[in-house]
Amino acid sequence: MYEYHGWMTISENTYEEDTESLCLVIADIRVFIEELKNWIGGNLELNAVNGEFHISLSGNDNHTPIEKYNQVTIFEYIGTQAKGSYGLLYIRDAADKQSHNTFKVYVLARGILTQKEDMYLSPCNPTIED
């Protein structure tokens, strides 16, 4: 099983937004997300809330997804398109022999994605499972 949960706030930069420029970035991201509509096993949504754009994604797949549909790839892509974006992505991959009992945490800040150790839910057994 491949489980994932993530969110991000999309921002073109880390200072005051240029609304017209941000609209172009959001249009590109919408096209990118539309191309992933055949994605099986989860949710991927882009929403506007109070003038800010957010992405949420979650789900379970039977296998590790191919790169195009990989959640890490999605976060990296948006980070390159909107360098002020930030968010978190948690992934647990049961097929990963070295880390099947842990969540990998990806942190998106200033458009750069880094991997961190999870200190809240890992090790999954015994923290959240018997």
Side-chain angles (χ1 to χ4, degrees), residues 80-130:
T80 62
Q81 300 302 306
K83 299 211 180 286
S85 298
Y86 57 91
L88 295 171
L89 173 62
Y90 277 69
I91 294 176
R92 182 178 180 197
D93 188 353
D96 185 336
K97 294 185 189 305
Q98 292 183 328
S99 61
H100 69 279
N101 194 36
T102 62
F103 276 93
K104 292 181 181 177
V105 181
Y106 295 87
V107 178
L108 179 65
R110 295 183 173 266
I112 298 170
L113 191 65
T114 56
Q115 184 180 334
K116 306 283 185 179
E117 289 189 31
D118 170 46
M119 61 181 169
Y120 299 108
L121 300 173
S122 300
C124 297
N125 186 338
T127 305
I128 59 173
E129 299 173 338
D130 291 327

